[in-house]
């Protein structure tokens, strides 16, 4: 008996072909011909089934209607405007059972007026008392342990560029901007929403003004549309248009919103002036310092496609402190961007990976040079660690043909250090960075199948100097119609001119092919970075002079089975060598397996194997010098419990062992979290790392000998985060972090020309003490009140200690008591007020 069972939405279709044995005998004489006929019929039926399934997953269409009397946004859908509004229903499960019926019913109404789009969602729930309503601050609703409802709008209907608006069951707003698979959570719009809970579930009402969107100037709008609902207690997500979990890109699987006619893109003009005041207490000064600032952000919609963003006299004093660490590598540390202007709407400027916004207003160009330039009788009195940003402007948007254009400009003031002669008392200044101009120009053409091609240029100019840097980058991604396979590539070209006739050129070349849809996925990539490639004036690159081959293979199970919700596995291999000369540098293979069970417990295991020693051409800090590091193998695992519970935890760790020098290392991380009520969340993170007989660069002697040290390193990090949300518009956050890294050297060896260390123990001619005791301690306490749409009052208190000279201690609390003796304390208050032209026009 040949049986085909096909589950199509609400019914089961069963086909039997055993009747063929009786009915095909009249025209099938032999058994062979009978088998051929059954095979042909089977193929035809299978083709029919595929067509039926495909039709079920086709994009849905929603036809909205106009209203001349917009509803009041209060969470009650009893206004006349909602009476005859069309309804979107019959959602599909996205998770955990992709494509099946959701457990709860959802109905969504959409109408529009001359100025805004209105969405009213009735989210039925058979257990209204169990709706998750935990509070959180704005834009943190996805982590709030709450139910939520999402509207995603793609005004150009290109499957790439979308605006997302989310409201939790506690009324917290989230919004972000999508560009393909990239989501920009820092993007903020001004819109209205209200939530009401009742005996049948909960209702959310939204008003999304056209000023929050960008759309083409056409008689009739055709927009991409996603409607998404998440039920937290059962971790169930459902969508109005079917979305396959096997497709990595959700945005491209949207439905269509039609019926919006004769609307005109409004004038998008808003200003947000601010005032702020600071009190600061330096440990070396008994007097509290005071300062006041004022400035303004401006947004102007040049047309329906492009927006100008400008920040005048910016103030980033309330941005959360960096998590600084002790860096023993030859490369700088990449710290994440936290300044709002540089995080919002940055997707265009991130093309080709040649823009690192922390360069703007970052460490002065010649900050580290000053210690080598002063005389023996001089000392540095003042050396600013940051340049002062005067203003920044960006213009970005996308034409109806899918061409995105971005223009960026920023200016920083001259930065000088002050040097004093300790004998005469005279002072002099040294310029660590001149007046500097930063520019970016980018073009990004989106194409069918979530494909694109981009061209970007960054340019840095030092005022009254011959120094300039110019980097041009291009990248592309081309996917097939089914979005199962894609090829991608990147070509970057850098030019750096330090002085006349000293132009240095370099390039980066990358090419890859990948399978991006299905249970089995893979990615194969080759990356070239020439020895002269240098994007670091406005970008970030750890090291150049490298050729890397990378391959990754994944097998994922998305459909629940047994007690497992989903299972994801991947294996990778990386091989690297120098670009010039072409010499081997390293190779590593690894695997990672992650399992999430139906009770929301997640576990994972991972491991890395190095089949050969690593040939490191950077650790010695001298071109061409090689250090042969022993091969290291490692393994580890992690476990994460259900975040829906009042108490949850994360634990992870690893162990690594080298084949030489008795090297080993381990790490353990324990992070419990407590949610005593819907308003408070406490997360504590404890991390301890130990590296036994770690080997690294120590010093270069006057005779040119390079010394490496064998050292033990202990690092302990304690982090405490407390969030208390008073209402969906007012919240308090507290973050404490103490990082302690202690380095104790045991032996020193000379690095030989062969790349190995000398056999002589305790290098006799070297007696300098390189032991290190580094502490970084931060407290950030911030109260935020969104007292009006787009307007905010914030009060911040900060304590900061960054001290590399704390006396060495073996016990943690003895070290901590030494650290907190000299804190830098600051307090600030900032008020910014959003003023919208369209609001005053209505008045």
């Amino acid at each position: 008996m040949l049986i085909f069972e096909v589950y199509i939405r609400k019914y089961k279709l069963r086909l039997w072909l055993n009747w063929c044995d009786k009915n095909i005998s009249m025209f099938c004489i032999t058994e062979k011909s009978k088998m051929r006929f059954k095979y042909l019929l089977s193929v035809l039926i299978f083709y029919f089934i595929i067509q039926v399934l495909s039709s079920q997953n086709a994009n849905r269409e929603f036809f909205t209607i106009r209203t001349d009397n917009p509803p009041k946004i209060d969470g009650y859908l009893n206004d006349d405007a909602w009476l005859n509004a069309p309804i979107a229903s019959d959602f599909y499960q996205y998770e955990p059972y992709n494509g099946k019926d959701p457990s709860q019913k959802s109905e969504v109404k959409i109408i529009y007026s001359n100025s805004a789009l209105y969405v009213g969602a009735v989210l039925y729930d058979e257990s209204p008392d169990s709706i998750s309503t935990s509070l959180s601050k704005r834009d943190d609703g996805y982590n709030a342990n709450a139910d939520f409802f999402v509207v995603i709008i793609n005004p150009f209907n290109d499957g790439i560029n979308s605006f997302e608006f989310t409201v939790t069951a506690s009324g917290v707003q989230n919004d972000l901007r999508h560009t393909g698979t990239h989501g920009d959570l820092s993007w903020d719009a001004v819109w209205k929403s209200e939530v009401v809970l009742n005996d049948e579930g909960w209702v959310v009402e939204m008003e999304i003004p056209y000023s929050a969107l960008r759309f083409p100037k056409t008689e009739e709008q055709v927009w991409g549309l996603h409607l998404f609902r998440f039920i937290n207690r059962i971790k169930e997500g459902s969508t109005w248009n079917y979305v396959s979990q096997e497709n990595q890109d959700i945005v491209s699987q949207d439905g269509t919103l039609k019926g919006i006619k004769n609307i005109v893109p409004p004038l998008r003009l808003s200003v947000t002036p601010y005032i702020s005041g600071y009190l600061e207490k330096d440990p070396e000064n008994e007097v509290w310092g005071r300062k006041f600032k004022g400035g303004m952000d401006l947004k102007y919609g040049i047309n329906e496609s492009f927006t100008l963003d400008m920040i005048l006299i910016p103030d980033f004093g309330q941005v959360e402190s960096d998590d600084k660490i002790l860096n023993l590598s030859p490369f700088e540390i990449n710290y994440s961007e936290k300044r709002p202007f540089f995080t919002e709407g940055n997707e265009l400027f991130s093309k080709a990976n040649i823009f690192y916004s922390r360069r703007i207003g970052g460490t002065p160009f010649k900050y580290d040079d000053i210690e080598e330039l002063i005389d023996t009788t001089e000392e540095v009195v003042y050396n600013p660690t940051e340049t002062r940003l005067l203003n920044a402007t960006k213009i970005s948007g996308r034409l109806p043909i899918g061409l995105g254009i971005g223009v960026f400009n920023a200016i920083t003031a001259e930065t000088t250090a002050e040097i004093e002669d300790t004998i005469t008392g005279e002072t002099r200044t040294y310029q660590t960075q001149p007046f500097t101009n930063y520019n970016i120009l980018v073009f990004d053409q989106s194409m069918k199948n979530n494909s694109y091609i981009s061209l970007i240029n960054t340019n840095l100019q030092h005022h009254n100097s011959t120094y300039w840097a110019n980097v041009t980058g291009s990248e592309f991604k081309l996917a097939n119609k089914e979005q199962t396979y894609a090829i991608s590539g990147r070509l970057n070209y850098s030019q750096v001119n330090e002085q006349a006739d000293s132009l240095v050129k370099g390039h980066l070349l990358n090419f890859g092919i990948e399978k991006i849809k299905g249970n089995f996925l893979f990615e194969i990539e080759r990356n070239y970075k020439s020895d002269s490639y240098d994007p670091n004036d406005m970008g970030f690159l750890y090291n150049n002079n490298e050729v890397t081959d990378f391959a990754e293979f994944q097998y994922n199970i998305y459909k629940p089975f047994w007690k497992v919700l989903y299972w994801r596995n991947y294996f990778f291999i990386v091989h690297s060598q120098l670009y010039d000369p072409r010499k081997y540098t390293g190779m590593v293979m690894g695997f990672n397996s992650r399992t999430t069970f139906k009770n929301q417990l997640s576990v994972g295991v991972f491991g890395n194997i190095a089949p050969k020693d690593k040939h490191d051409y950077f650790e010695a800090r001298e071109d061409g010098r090689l250090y042969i590091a022993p091969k290291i193998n490692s393994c580890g695992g992690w476990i994460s419990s259900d975040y829906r519970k009042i108490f949850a935890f994360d634990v992870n760790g690893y162990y690594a062992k080298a084949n030489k020098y008795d090297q080993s290392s381990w790490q353990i991380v324990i992070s419990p979290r407590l949610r005593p009520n819907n308003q408070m969340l406490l997360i504590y993170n404890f991390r301890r790392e130990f590296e036994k007989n770690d080997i690294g660069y120590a010093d270069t002697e006057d005779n040119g000998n390079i010394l490496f040290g064998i050292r033990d390193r202990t690092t302990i990090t304690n982090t405490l985060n407390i969030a208390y949300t008073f209402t969906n518009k007012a919240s308090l956050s507290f973050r404490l972090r103490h990082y302690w890294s202690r380095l104790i050297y045991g032996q020193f060896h000379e690095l030989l020309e062969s790349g190995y260390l000398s056999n002589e123990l305790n290098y006799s001619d070297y007696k300098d003490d390189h032991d290190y005791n580094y502490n970084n301690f931060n407290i950030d306490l911030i109260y935020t009140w969104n007292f009006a749409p787009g307007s905010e009052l914030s009060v911040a208190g900060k304590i900061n200690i960054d001290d590399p000279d704390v006396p060495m201690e073996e016990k943690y609390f003895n070290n901590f008591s030494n650290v907190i003796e000299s804190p830098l304390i600051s307090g600030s208050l900032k008020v910014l007020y959003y003023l919208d032209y369209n609001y005053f026009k209505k008045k």
Side-chain angles (χ1 to χ4, degrees), residues 600-640:
Q600 293 302 311
L601 178 71
S602 296
V603 297
V605 293
F606 57 88
N608 294 328
I609 298 173
K612 298 174 63 177
D613 289 344
K614 179 181 179 181
H615 290 200
D616 192 334
Y617 288 88
F618 298 97
E619 182 63 28
R621 274 73 162 177
E622 183 177 314
D623 290 343
R625 289 301 300 270
L626 166 66
Y627 164 57
I628 300 179
K631 57 185 179 182
I632 298 177
N633 301 325
S634 65
C635 63
W638 56 271
I639 183 170
S640 179

Side-chain angles (χ1 to χ4, degrees), residues 64-254:
T64 184
I65 60 173
R66 178 191 290 271
T67 178
D68 294 325
N69 298 298
K72 179 182 178 181
I73 305 302
D74 55 9
Y76 295 95
L77 306 185
N78 52 10
D79 301 86
D80 292 341
W82 293 116
L83 292 179
N84 298 316
I87 298 175
S89 59
D90 296 330
F91 279 45
Y92 300 88
Q93 266 198 58
Y94 174 70
E95 57 180 352
Y97 298 97
N98 195 209
K100 289 193 174 183
D101 287 337
S103 62
Q104 307 295 329
K105 181 181 177 182
S106 303
E107 293 183 347
V108 183
K109 299 180 178 182
I110 303 176
I111 55 178
Y112 75 99
S113 69
N114 288 330
S115 59
L117 190 74
Y118 303 88
V119 180
V122 180
L123 308 168
Y124 295 96
D125 198 310
E126 296 173 354
S127 303
D129 294 338
S130 300
I131 296 172
S132 300
T133 57
S134 293
L135 282 163
S136 67
K137 61 182 181 181
R138 196 181 196 276
D139 284 337
D140 199 29
Y142 299 112
N143 304 314
N145 199 37
D147 290 20
F148 58 81
F149 174 74
V150 184
V151 177
I152 302 178
I153 300 170
N154 185 336
F156 288 94
N157 199 28
D158 58 5
I160 299 178
N161 300 280
S162 298
F163 302 89
E164 178 172 325
F165 304 89
T166 300
V167 183
T168 71
S170 55
V172 178
Q173 289 186 348
N174 302 272
D175 43 23
L176 65 92
R177 189 172 174 182
H178 291 278
T179 303
T181 56
H182 172 77
D184 179 13
L185 192 59
S186 64
W187 176 78
D188 285 323
V190 178
W191 50 290
K192 296 180 181 178
S193 65
E194 288 294 338
V195 167
V196 171
L197 279 72
N198 55 43
D199 294 338
E200 294 184 330
W202 62 291
V203 178
V204 57
E205 192 172 19
M206 306 163 65
E207 177 186 340
I208 303 171
Y210 298 141
S211 58
L213 307 172
R214 299 178 186 177
F215 54 89
K217 192 174 183 179
T218 59
E219 181 179 348
E220 182 174 358
Q221 303 290 328
V222 178
W223 294 352
L225 176 67
H226 264 307
L227 303 173
F228 184 88
R229 178 190 182 179
F230 181 75
I231 303 174
N232 183 64
R233 69 178 182 276
I234 56 176
K235 294 295 182 180
E236 179 186 285
S238 56
T239 60
W240 167 67
N241 195 68
Y242 176 77
V243 176
S244 172
Q245 284 191 1
E246 294 184 1
N247 191 331
Q248 304 298 304
D249 183 18
I250 295 177
V251 175
S252 65
Q253 303 179 68
D254 52 10

Side-chain angles (χ1 to χ4, degrees), residues 742-798:
R742 187 181 62 172
L743 199 68
I744 300 178
Y745 281 83
Q747 301 172 1
F748 293 94
H749 300 261
E750 181 184 348
L751 179 66
L752 304 177
E753 291 294 336
S754 63
Y756 293 100
L757 302 183
S758 63
N759 291 326
E760 180 182 356
L761 300 180
N762 286 322
Y763 189 74
S764 58
D765 295 333
Y766 190 73
K767 302 183 183 302
D768 286 355
D769 184 10
H770 275 67
D771 292 351
Y772 212 74
N773 194 51
Y774 175 69
N775 284 266
N776 182 257
F777 178 79
N778 291 297
I779 290 179
D780 293 273
L781 178 66
I782 302 176
Y783 170 78
T784 305
W785 175 35
N786 300 107
F787 59 88
S791 303
E792 181 181 282
L793 180 147
S794 57
V795 181
K798 289 189 174 188

Side-chain angles (χ1 to χ4, degrees), residues 207-401:
E207 177 186 340
I208 303 171
Y210 298 141
S211 58
L213 307 172
R214 299 178 186 177
F215 54 89
K217 192 174 183 179
T218 59
E219 181 179 348
E220 182 174 358
Q221 303 290 328
V222 178
W223 294 352
L225 176 67
H226 264 307
L227 303 173
F228 184 88
R229 178 190 182 179
F230 181 75
I231 303 174
N232 183 64
R233 69 178 182 276
I234 56 176
K235 294 295 182 180
E236 179 186 285
S238 56
T239 60
W240 167 67
N241 195 68
Y242 176 77
V243 176
S244 172
Q245 284 191 1
E246 294 184 1
N247 191 331
Q248 304 298 304
D249 183 18
I250 295 177
V251 175
S252 65
Q253 303 179 68
D254 52 10
T256 305
L257 177 64
K258 294 184 176 181
I260 302 177
K261 298 180 180 180
N262 300 319
I263 63 170
V264 179
L267 174 63
R268 292 178 286 116
L269 174 61
S270 64
V271 294
T272 309
Y274 81 87
I275 56 171
S276 60
Y278 288 83
L279 288 173
E280 293 182 346
K281 175 68 169 63
D282 190 287
E284 298 180 0
N285 194 339
E286 296 182 359
V287 180
W288 284 82
R290 299 177 178 86
K291 62 180 179 180
F292 297 91
K293 290 185 178 181
M296 182 176 66
D297 294 353
L298 180 145
K299 289 183 181 289
Y300 171 62
I302 300 172
N303 56 26
E304 66 272 13
S305 299
F306 292 92
T307 300
L308 179 146
D309 292 274
M310 180 179 292
I311 184 168
L312 303 173
I313 315 177
D315 176 24
F316 301 120
Q318 296 187 327
V319 173
E320 186 180 277
S321 304
D322 287 326
D323 289 344
K324 293 185 177 180
I325 63 174
L326 173 61
N327 181 22
L328 300 177
S329 77
F331 314 119
E332 65 175 314
I333 300 297
N334 185 316
Y335 290 108
S336 61
E337 179 63 87
K338 299 177 182 180
R339 298 172 295 177
F341 179 83
F342 293 101
T343 58
E344 181 182 340
N346 200 37
E347 68 280 352
L348 272 176
F349 304 104
S350 64
K351 297 295 182 181
N353 197 28
I354 60 173
F355 177 47
Y356 176 51
S357 57
R358 289 289 296 260
R359 299 290 184 206
I360 302 173
T363 305
F365 188 63
K366 296 183 179 181
Y367 173 82
D368 294 324
D369 296 350
I370 192 168
E371 294 291 345
E372 300 177 1
L373 297 173
I374 61 176
D375 296 333
T376 55
T377 61
E378 292 180 321
E379 67 176 10
V380 179
V381 178
Y382 176 66
N383 188 16
T385 58
E386 296 179 349
T387 55
R388 183 165 61 94
L389 177 62
L390 298 177
N391 62 66
T393 304
K394 56 187 175 184
I395 299 173
S396 60
R398 193 169 295 271
L399 296 171
I401 59 173

Side-chain angles (χ1 to χ4, degrees), residues 649-669:
F649 64 89
D650 297 287
V651 178
N652 70 72
Y654 74 83
Y655 176 78
K657 179 71 175 177
N659 67 332
K660 290 176 63 178
Y661 304 115
D662 192 27
Q663 277 187 310
S664 64
S665 64
W666 57 266
Q667 175 183 281
I668 183 70
V669 180

